Amino acid sequence: MATNENLPPNVIKQLAKELKNLDETPPEGIKVGVNDDDFSTIFADIEGPAGTPYENGVFRMKLVLSHDFPHSPPKGYFLTKIFHPNIATNGEICVNTLKKDWNPSLGLRHVLIVVRCLLIEPFPESALNEQAGKMLLENYEEYARHARLYTGIHAKPKPKFKSGAISESTTALNVDQTNTSVLNADQKSTTPGAALPLPCPSPLAPSATSTRGNGKEQQAAIAPATDTGVSGSTVAAAAAAAAAAPTTQKKEGGLAKAHADKKKMDARKKSLKRL
């Protein structure tokens, strides 16, 4: 269950909706993941664009949101080592969207797309990595060779983010109240034992049921029922009937024998009177 104490509740709600949208319809070449305990840190895997030195690489990055987000821009960092003019050796990203061009109306989708575009068109004039910026301006082939080398060594495909994880997290925050309300209403309107499974009885506490045979009440212990799809009352009744059948048959046999013996005694008495 996410706590997200670093962000105000209204920001969390809006952010959760945007994250869910990114999870369901991700931008081209970008897959987003989150920390369930803190939505202020957003992770993303960015595929290297085709036709660039970063092609066939997967670069993991993160956006760190401040407490006053979205009034102030997030800070971006590449967690995967990359040779790029606008990305420092410690992974910090330099792009105007995250600095002077920031606008509170800009969403995470826009930021992620801009970062991926930075891999297509670097800006060596505002370089954080001076070596990469100088090399790009003076010798593109040498720059591209270095970038491809870094990509081949460090930007190997990462373990993928768990599918549906963001949807689970946003659901935990009650972002989609409608689905939750409908589910609760369905549960209340469902009759017991009709659609919802009943809890299994404890194997240490067998139940007992009463059966009647020839006017006398007998107790039949019933073993715990297994989950066979048949209701507990049906299983109990069947077991009780099976347990009572031998006793009933035995009593009926005894009564028949006693009746026959009585007839024999009456016949003998009549014979003696005649004598």
Side-chain angles (χ1 to χ4, degrees):
M1 179 68 180
T3 54
N4 298 283
E5 297 177 354
N6 192 41
L7 297 172
N10 61 322
V11 174
I12 293 174
K13 186 174 181 180
Q14 180 61 37
L15 184 60
K17 288 181 179 179
E18 188 173 355
L19 287 171
K20 186 175 182 180
N21 179 265
L22 283 169
D23 186 47
E24 294 173 348
T25 56
E28 181 183 0
I30 301 174
K31 181 65 178 176
V32 178
V34 296
N35 178 351
D36 285 346
D37 294 326
D38 188 1
F39 279 5
S40 65
T41 302
I42 312 299
F43 297 93
D45 281 347
I46 299 180
E47 297 177 3
T52 71
Y54 311 105
E55 185 176 2
N56 298 323
V58 178
F59 301 86
R60 181 156 292 182
M61 63 158 293
K62 69 177 180 179
L63 293 174
V64 180
L65 283 55
S66 62
H67 184 71
D68 60 346
F69 176 85
H71 300 292
S72 62
K75 292 183 179 180
Y77 300 90
F78 266 73
L79 303 178
T80 303
K81 287 186 177 181
I82 183 173
F83 189 76
H84 190 286
N86 306 112
I87 302 171
T89 54
N90 67 350
E92 184 180 354
I93 303 171
C94 178
V95 62
N96 287 338
T97 301
L98 299 179
K99 295 184 182 296
K100 63 180 182 180
D101 291 343
W102 173 254
N103 188 312
S105 64
L106 296 177
L108 295 178
R109 181 182 294 271
H110 177 79
V111 172
L112 294 171
I113 292 174
V114 167
V115 171
R116 189 169 188 265
C117 287
L118 199 62
L119 301 183
I120 301 174
E121 187 177 355
F123 295 95
E125 296 81 5
S126 57
L128 287 180
N129 185 327
E130 293 183 2
Q131 180 188 9
K134 183 178 180 181
M135 196 176 291
L136 175 60
L137 291 173
E138 297 178 355
N139 189 340
Y140 179 82
E141 290 302 323
E142 186 66 12
Y143 157 77
R145 189 180 71 81
H146 270 72
R148 281 193 293 267
L149 182 63
Y150 269 67
T151 300
I153 295 174
H154 303 290
K156 297 177 181 179
K158 306 289 189 298
K160 294 183 179 180
F161 296 118
K162 179 182 175 184
S163 179
I166 295 179
S167 296
E168 293 175 4
S169 298
T170 53
T171 301
L173 287 172
N174 294 322
V175 174
D176 190 353
Q177 297 289 346
T178 304
N179 291 339
T180 304
S181 300
V182 171
L183 178 60
N184 290 336
D186 288 344
Q187 290 177 344
K188 289 180 180 179
S189 62
T190 304
T191 57
L196 296 177
L198 297 176
C200 295
S202 170
L204 300 179
S207 59
T209 184
S210 298
T211 58
R212 294 184 179 272
N214 296 327
K216 294 184 179 180
E217 185 171 345
Q218 300 176 348
Q219 295 293 328
I222 305 303
T226 56
D227 186 8
T228 60
V230 182
S231 66
S233 59
T234 304
V235 175
T247 304
T248 304
Q249 291 174 356
K250 185 176 180 180
K251 288 192 174 186
E252 289 177 353
L255 291 172
K257 184 178 180 181
H259 188 63
D261 290 342
K262 188 175 182 303
K263 284 185 177 181
K264 288 181 181 180
M265 290 295 292
D266 292 339
R268 287 181 182 179
K269 288 179 180 180
K270 288 180 180 180
S271 299
L272 290 173
K273 285 181 179 180
R274 289 175 185 173
L275 295 174

